[in-house]
């Protein structure tokens, strides 16, 4: 009985430590802010939109112990297609990385080994906001702390497959939700 109580105590202590670490995981940005309208810099160029189509600057800190890599996603749950719209999906970001600069998508400034998945516009990299006119959409930028160094995804991985693999390996997440309408 004593062994069982000790084991239960150890498990609870580990769960509490993980929860505390996950609570310290924070995302910040010099480009976007919680609940604020995205600037035209982060709007898609195409589909009737005329933006700069640049990825925002992102910085994160306080990743939980055991983090071996990061993934970044940008998702619009309000897209009128029933499954939302994936604007950005980057995997295999080394655990030593704690930020991406403005416009890092598609540039040589992404860390070595990072892989950009094809977005729902059909191209690898960041695809900015471009909702139907008149509607306000949310754009959820999430950094995922992963417990694996590398997600083994095929070259043509869908966002659904990447999302599944990210979810299966996530230790903690931190988010900024911006909005946009035109």
């Amino acid at each position: 009985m004593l062994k069982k109580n000790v084991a239960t105590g150890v498990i609870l202590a580990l769960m509490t430590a993980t929860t505390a670490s996950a609570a310290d995981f924070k995302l910040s940005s010099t480009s976007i802010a919680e609940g604020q309208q995205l600037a035209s810099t982060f709007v898609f160029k195409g589909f009737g939109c005329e933006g700069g189509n640049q990825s925002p600057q992102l910085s994160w800190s306080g990743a939980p112990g055991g983090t071996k890599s990061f993934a970044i996603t940008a998702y619009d749950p309000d897209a009128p297609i029933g499954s939302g719209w994936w604007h950005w999906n980057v995997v295999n970001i080394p655990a030593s990385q704690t930020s991406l600069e403005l416009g890092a998508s598609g540039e040589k400034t992404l860390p070595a080994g990072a892989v950009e998945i094809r977005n729902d516009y059909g191209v690898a990299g960041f695809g900015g906001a471009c909702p139907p006119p008149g509607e306000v959409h949310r754009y959820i930028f999430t950094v995922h702390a992963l417990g694996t160094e590398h997600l083994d995804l095929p070259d043509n991985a869908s966002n659904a497959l990447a999302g599944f693999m990210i979810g299966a390996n996530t230790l903690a997440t931190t988010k900024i939700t911006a909005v946009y309408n035109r």
Side-chain angles (χ1 to χ4, degrees):
M1 185 65 137
L2 179 60
K3 285 184 180 179
K4 184 177 180 182
N5 287 339
V6 169
T8 301
V10 169
I11 290 169
L12 287 173
L14 288 172
M15 287 173 58
T16 303
T18 301
T19 302
S21 293
D24 295 334
F25 193 30
K26 303 287 186 220
L27 175 61
S28 62
S29 176
T30 59
S31 301
I32 61 174
E34 184 68 31
Q36 297 300 305
Q37 177 91 348
L38 291 171
S40 64
T41 303
F42 313 111
V43 172
F44 191 66
K45 185 169 181 72
F47 284 61
C49 292
E50 290 297 327
N53 203 45
Q54 285 194 328
S55 58
Q57 184 281 332
L58 300 172
S59 297
W60 54 94
S61 62
T67 298
K68 295 180 179 176
S69 70
F70 296 102
I72 296 174
T73 58
Y75 176 71
D76 171 5
D78 304 314
I81 60 170
S83 60
W85 191 271
W86 291 98
H87 289 267
W88 199 22
N89 204 326
V90 188
V91 299
N92 301 335
I93 300 169
S96 59
Q97 190 79 23
T98 58
S99 67
L100 292 180
E101 63 186 52
L102 173 68
S105 177
E107 298 295 324
K108 294 180 178 159
T109 58
L110 280 178
V115 176
E116 293 185 287
I117 306 298
R118 192 173 340 140
N119 60 41
D120 282 344
Y121 291 113
V123 297
F126 181 77
C130 187
E135 299 179 15
V136 176
H137 283 228
R138 294 169 290 159
Y139 297 87
I140 305 169
F141 292 83
T142 306
V143 176
H144 307 259
L146 305 180
T148 185
E149 288 181 20
H150 180 79
L151 293 180
D152 190 21
L153 295 168
D155 289 340
N156 62 348
S158 67
N159 284 294
L161 176 59
F164 175 83
M165 294 300 290
I166 290 169
N169 290 283
T170 293
L171 302 173
T173 61
T174 182
K175 305 173 183 192
I176 294 174
T177 302
V179 297
Y180 184 74
N181 70 308
R182 60 182 180 125

